[in-house]
Amino acid sequence: MRDWTAAILGACALPAAAAAGEATRAPFGTLPDGRVVEEVTLTNGTLTARIIAWGAALRSLDVPDRDGRPADVVLGYADLASYLGKSNYFGASVGRYANRIRGGRFTLDGRDYTLARNDGPNTLHGGTEGFDRRLWSIEAVEGGATPSVTLRYVSPDGEEGFPGTLTATVTYTLSAADTLRIEYRATTDRPTLVNLTNHTYFNLAGEGSGRSILDHRIMIPADRYTPVDETQIPTGEIAPVAGTPFDFRDEERIGARIRDGRAVQLLRGHGYDHNYVLGDAPSDEPRLAARVMDPASGRVLEVASTAPGVQFYTGNMLDATTVGKSGLAYRQSDAFALEPELFPDTPNQPAFGSARLDPSGAFRNVITYRFPSPSSPDRTAR
């Protein structure tokens, strides 16, 4: 297996291009209470990203194919009303705790906390009104060689059951290395839990292509993953991927084994919806989480992060009742998500590490989405 991490980190260190990028802002919609939701557009000549303040969400990302033709490769909506309705976490910044917490409960410093349960018996992505359903303030918009936008949200003590006032920021930056960099930071005024990530759904053939992602080829450089129970909470086991449909250490079609009815884990997740172990703790610099290639367009996505895990999700809950910005109804396997984060249910499973944040500390998660030069047709014939 190739050392993709070195290749990605080397590419991300390329010098900035001479051509300047652009960052512009404009109204996207108005909330029922009259507050205006803005959208910021970042472009560097190759990539164009649009970020809305509602949920600090990546609404679109235009990327060229092997012939230089751009297409939007992320799922999302054309209007604010749709985000206010059935959000599906499209492109959202999720928190205060991304992924699931068993039973909507945890204990911190001897005190029990009860959270909103919005996923059967469990809490998912921060609860009923998580960070994806909050209006973030736009703190800074910068042009130049690396255009960026920084957004901020202050979550009050007790929101969705979590202790402490948490101040969170996210900065989206386009670099000259055809990379969208997302950096989450958070501080608190009292001990709490935090796990922030981005929940973008990708289809490298194009959001409006009508093609599924089952023929996309994926490589995840993890030799372990965390199996789940019937409610998709980790069992506590950290299991080897070898000999299972979860082994993507060598590039494979996403759909190659997704319908294996003998694999109980696939049945529980309705496909892939599992955490892969990238390391035993967060890292100082981003490390490779996954590499995905679409044979139809030649587009390639490399995801890296400082987080110890990455949730691989194949859009299993998309059921054709959601209409996206291109007018297509989104269906199961129309997109995949790669969510770099702490392990699910870490607050209740000490063996997974810690999600604790104290007033003296700071949370940080850096995620990079890099789009290297699209592959040639012969690269797809493997």
Side-chain angles (χ1 to χ4, degrees), residues 241-253:
V241 298
T244 76
F246 294 85
D247 191 349
F248 288 103
R249 290 174 296 175
D250 291 318
E251 184 184 276
E252 180 58 274
R253 287 178 56 249

Side-chain angles (χ1 to χ4, degrees), residues 220-227 237-242 244 246-247 249 274-281 308-310 343 351:
I220 302 176
D223 57 13
R224 298 173 295 164
Y225 80 112
T226 52
E237 179 185 11
I238 296 180
V241 298
T244 76
F246 294 85
D247 191 349
R249 290 174 296 175
H274 294 74
N275 169 64
Y276 282 77
V277 178
L278 303 174
D280 295 324
V310 62
F343 299 174

Side-chain angles (χ1 to χ4, degrees), residues 9 22 34 43-44 68 73 77 107 118 128 134 170 202 249 295 302 323 342 369:
L9 295 181
E22 283 189 335
T43 182
N44 65 356
V73 299
Y77 293 118
T107 300
N118 61 325
T128 306
R134 304 291 179 177
V170 57
F202 290 96
R249 290 174 296 175
E302 291 171 343
V323 178
L342 302 178
Y369 299 136

Side-chain angles (χ1 to χ4, degrees), residues 81-248:
S82 298
Y83 283 97
L84 298 180
K86 190 176 181 181
S87 80
N88 286 295
Y89 307 103
F90 288 151
S93 295
V94 291
R96 180 175 308 193
Y97 194 92
N99 218 309
R100 295 175 173 87
I101 294 179
R102 183 182 63 233
R105 295 178 179 275
F106 67 90
T107 300
L108 187 64
D109 293 336
R111 179 176 173 181
D112 295 332
Y113 291 90
T114 300
L115 312 174
R117 298 177 184 179
N118 61 325
D119 185 54
N122 306 315
T123 299
L124 175 65
H125 294 325
T128 306
E129 300 288 332
F131 288 9
D132 62 297
R133 302 191 66 83
R134 304 291 179 177
L135 180 61
W136 294 54
S137 62
I138 296 176
E139 299 293 296
V141 177
E142 302 289 342
T146 55
S148 68
V149 58
T150 298
L151 303 99
R152 178 174 178 263
Y153 177 66
V154 179
S155 174
D157 181 27
E159 184 174 77
E160 294 296 294
F162 289 96
T165 299
L166 187 83
T167 300
T169 63
V170 57
T171 299
Y172 290 85
T173 305
L174 284 183
S175 81
D178 294 337
T179 300
L180 175 62
R181 184 180 190 271
I182 305 174
E183 180 169 358
Y184 290 99
R185 289 183 176 270
T187 57
T188 183
D189 64 354
R190 58 181 287 204
T192 190
L193 303 179
V194 62
N195 183 25
L196 305 178
T197 192
N198 185 271
H199 201 297
T200 293
Y201 290 71
F202 290 96
N203 185 321
L204 299 181
E207 172 271 340
S209 67
R211 303 177 65 97
S212 85
I213 48 85
L214 295 180
D215 286 332
H216 283 32
R217 302 184 67 86
I218 189 168
M219 191 280 295
I220 302 176
D223 57 13
R224 298 173 295 164
Y225 80 112
T226 52
V228 296
D229 64 17
E230 294 82 357
T231 69
Q232 292 186 258
I233 292 293
T235 61
E237 179 185 11
I238 296 180
V241 298
T244 76
F246 294 85
D247 191 349
F248 288 103

Side-chain angles (χ1 to χ4, degrees), residues 232 244-248 253-259 265-266 269-274 276 311-316 337:
Q232 292 186 258
T244 76
F246 294 85
D247 191 349
F248 288 103
R253 287 178 56 249
I254 289 177
R257 297 161 296 197
I258 198 170
R259 295 183 178 177
Q265 286 297 309
L266 287 176
H270 304 279
Y272 294 102
D273 190 6
H274 294 74
Y276 282 77
Q311 187 85 4
F312 175 41
Y313 174 57
T314 45
N316 311 324

Side-chain angles (χ1 to χ4, degrees), residues 19-101:
E22 283 189 335
T24 59
R25 57 197 293 180
F28 179 67
T30 304
L31 295 173
D33 63 9
R35 290 178 295 168
V36 175
V37 176
E38 288 190 283
E39 178 173 75
V40 174
T41 300
L42 308 177
T43 182
N44 65 356
T46 303
L47 307 179
T48 299
R50 295 176 181 85
I51 298 98
I52 59 173
W54 182 253
L58 177 63
R59 192 178 74 86
S60 70
L61 182 59
D62 296 342
V63 180
D65 66 7
R66 66 166 64 89
D67 297 317
R69 296 172 299 196
D72 185 358
V73 299
V74 304
L75 272 57
Y77 293 118
D79 55 69
L80 179 61
S82 298
Y83 283 97
L84 298 180
K86 190 176 181 181
S87 80
N88 286 295
Y89 307 103
F90 288 151
S93 295
V94 291
R96 180 175 308 193
Y97 194 92
N99 218 309
R100 295 175 173 87
I101 294 179

